[in-house]
Structures are given as C-alpha cells and as structure tokens.
Amino acid sequence: MNLDRLPEDCFAHILSLTSPQDACRSSLASSCVRAMADSDSLWDHFLPSDLKEILSRLVFPIVYSSNKQLFFKLCSPCLIDGGKKIFWIEKSTNKKCIMLSARELSITWASHPLYWTWKPQFLNQEVAELITMWWLEICGTVNTKMLSPNTLYTAYMVVRFADRAYGLDFLPSEVSVEVGDFKAVGKVNLSPQEGRRKHYFQRVHFLKEMGALRSRLLKDEESIVFGEGDNGWIKIELGSFFNDCNGEELKISLREVKGQHLRGGLIVEGIEIRPKHH
C-alpha cells in the first residue's frame, strides 16, 4: 500500500491514534508522509486540550511557528503561575507533568527563620532547608484538571540531605495522597544513607532540560539570577492515584509529628507529579 496516496486528513487521523514518537518515525518514510506527519492538525492532537490556559499561565511566553515545535518546547520544563509551579509534557506519552515548588507547598513553621531557611536554586526558584525542629509537616495541593485525564500518576517528594542531617530517621514519616474518596497512605524512612541507596534519582534528562531552559531564560531575561544546580537530588515516592478527570483537589503530604526529638538537614525542592510507568 502506497501511504502517499492516502488523503492528508486520513493519514493525520491514523497518526493521531499513535504517539509523538511514532509520528516522528513515520516522517522518515517519504517527503509526502513527512509533510503529513508534521502537520498542525496532527500535532494538535498531541497538545493538551487546555492549551490556551497553559500558555496564559506561562511566566515566559513561548515563541513557535508550528504545533509540532510548540509541543517539543512544552516538553522542556516551563515556569507557570508566577514561577511557583513547573509544567512540562512527557515526550513519549504526551501526558502532562507538574512540579509544585517548595514555595507552593505548605510547610509548617517554614516562615520562622529559627526552624527553616530558604536558599536560591536554579530557575530562579528557592528550596527550603530544615534547620532544626521537632515537627515535620509538608503538604501540597493541586487541582487534577492540571493533569492528563484517565491517567495513573505518582507523586514524589524531591529532596536531598545536608551533610549535617540528623534525627530524620528516628521515626518513619507518614505519607499520603488523597483525591475525592480515594486515599493512599504509607510510611517512608528519611534516612540519608537509605535514601541514597534506594531512592537516588539521576535526573539527567530533567536537569538537561532545566539547563536548556536556564540558558534560554538568561538570553531572554538577563536580570534573572540562577543558583547552581546538581544531580544530587533524590525522589521519595508518596503514593499513586488515578486521575479520572473529575477536577477534584489532589492533596499530598509527608509528616512526622509524633516524635519529640529534634531533626534537621532536610532540603526540599518540591513535589513532582508525573505518570506512573510499570
């Protein structure tokens, strides 16, 4: 069968039932197929249905000449909502991902300089470092409309441990993910050694994209100051949930409030919510 003979809208419809990766592969077949595989009508299927709202929430507008170009630019982390959240599309599945920055989280006593301190981070963000405290409670909320419908997601706390970290693994911390009538609960051990052994996360691709965004922002906005980033962060799984597109509030938490001992040295970057892969 000669694919070049297929009507453009028919072939675009066929490709829209596949994935962005398949669409890119098909463009190698011939120049005619490439034109269909690069069409705006096709890539419109891969872009989020709430695209206009997402673009309106960007801190820095995206310049693009085609829907395909826009898709791949959105695959790089983008600051939204005044820089309190980071949004991107997962390239392989075209599913939406969100990171709630530390400033977007509710961290008990985080405004008290004796207990928590705030430090600059790349992308003009800040991270929160626990100085010393007997009460550890970190919560985040986001409306599930910001995520892709009918998708299984996992929430992660993205942290690292300062060299002086102490008291964090005296008792396990309770974690929960709650949406609607569903609630998943569990316990995690905030041990620097255990975390590095079991949860170490080389976010190479993510950090590479962060670096690309940092370079672009520095070019477009010279007044922005970025801290130095590294790949020493780890992710701690908090729980999974299925987004059935009811537009409900997603509540995520990590807490240890039973112990009376002091602890410190936990550095919090934020909560990352992305599709779960088996």
Side-chain angles (χ1 to χ4, degrees):
M1 180 179 180
N2 190 345
L3 294 177
D4 293 353
R5 290 184 153 186
L6 283 174
E8 182 175 340
D9 57 345
C10 176
F11 192 74
H13 177 70
I14 294 172
L15 286 177
S16 70
L17 302 176
T18 62
S19 68
Q21 288 181 326
D22 292 328
C24 291
R25 292 190 190 102
S26 68
S27 65
L28 302 175
S30 69
S31 58
C32 181
V33 172
R34 185 181 305 114
M36 291 185 281
D38 291 345
S39 67
D40 278 350
S41 59
L42 169 63
W43 287 91
D44 185 57
H45 287 281
F46 297 137
L47 289 167
S49 58
D50 56 345
L51 177 64
K52 289 185 178 180
E53 181 183 352
I54 292 171
L55 294 179
S56 70
R57 296 166 73 169
L58 292 175
V59 174
F60 302 100
I62 292 177
V63 178
Y64 60 95
S65 58
S66 66
N67 283 347
K68 181 179 180 180
Q69 186 182 51
L70 175 59
F71 174 86
F72 283 103
K73 286 196 173 187
L74 288 175
C75 288
S76 298
C78 304
L79 295 175
I80 63 172
D81 295 351
K84 292 185 177 181
K85 298 185 186 77
I86 298 175
F87 170 88
W88 73 98
I89 297 174
E90 194 175 60
K91 191 179 297 184
S92 59
T93 64
N94 64 293
K95 300 290 187 179
K96 295 187 285 185
C97 306
I98 290 286
M99 173 177 270
L100 309 178
S101 72
R103 281 293 188 188
E104 182 73 354
L105 303 179
S106 174
I107 304 176
T108 303
W109 297 102
S111 61
H112 200 301
L114 289 179
Y115 303 137
W116 288 84
T117 185
W118 291 88
K119 296 183 176 181
Q121 176 72 351
F122 54 80
L123 283 181
N124 215 27
Q125 303 287 291
E126 288 180 293
V127 297
E129 180 174 347
L130 177 61
I131 300 174
T132 186
M133 187 64 181
W134 61 90
W135 187 285
L136 179 62
E137 187 172 29
I138 305 170
C139 304
T141 61
V142 65
N143 194 291
T144 53
K145 285 183 178 180
M146 294 192 67
L147 304 172
S148 296
N150 302 315
T151 301
L152 183 63
Y153 276 92
T154 299
Y156 302 92
M157 185 81 70
V158 183
V159 303
R160 68 178 180 179
F161 300 95
D163 292 337
R164 63 174 188 86
Y166 64 94
L168 295 167
D169 56 351
F170 188 81
L171 289 174
S173 297
E174 297 177 354
V175 297
S176 68
V177 172
E178 182 178 359
V179 57
D181 297 328
F182 172 82
K183 185 174 184 179
V185 297
K187 293 184 178 181
V188 297
N189 186 19
L190 293 179
S191 166
Q193 293 75 24
E194 190 74 7
R196 292 188 182 101
R197 185 169 69 84
K198 286 189 175 181
H199 301 292
Y200 184 68
F201 180 38
Q202 287 275 7
R203 300 192 305 144
V204 175
H205 173 71
F206 189 73
L207 288 165
K208 180 180 178 182
E209 297 292 354
M210 289 289 198
L213 178 59
R214 176 168 59 183
S215 298
R216 177 161 57 84
L217 295 183
L218 285 171
K219 181 179 179 181
D220 298 340
E221 197 74 30
E222 294 182 353
S223 63
I224 297 175
V225 178
F226 295 91
E228 290 297 321
D230 58 51
N231 60 1
W233 296 93
I234 63 175
K235 65 173 183 178
I236 299 174
E237 185 171 337
L238 305 179
S240 299
F241 66 96
F242 184 78
N243 184 26
D244 56 9
C245 47
N246 285 334
E248 296 174 303
E249 198 79 351
L250 170 66
K251 302 175 183 178
I252 307 165
S253 69
L254 180 149
R255 56 170 58 92
E256 202 296 282
V257 298
K258 297 178 180 177
Q260 299 298 314
H261 62 286
L262 292 176
R263 70 204 81 188
L266 179 68
I267 305 173
V268 180
E269 183 185 24
I271 292 179
E272 185 178 296
I273 307 165
R274 62 190 309 155
K276 182 179 180 68
H277 297 293
H278 300 287

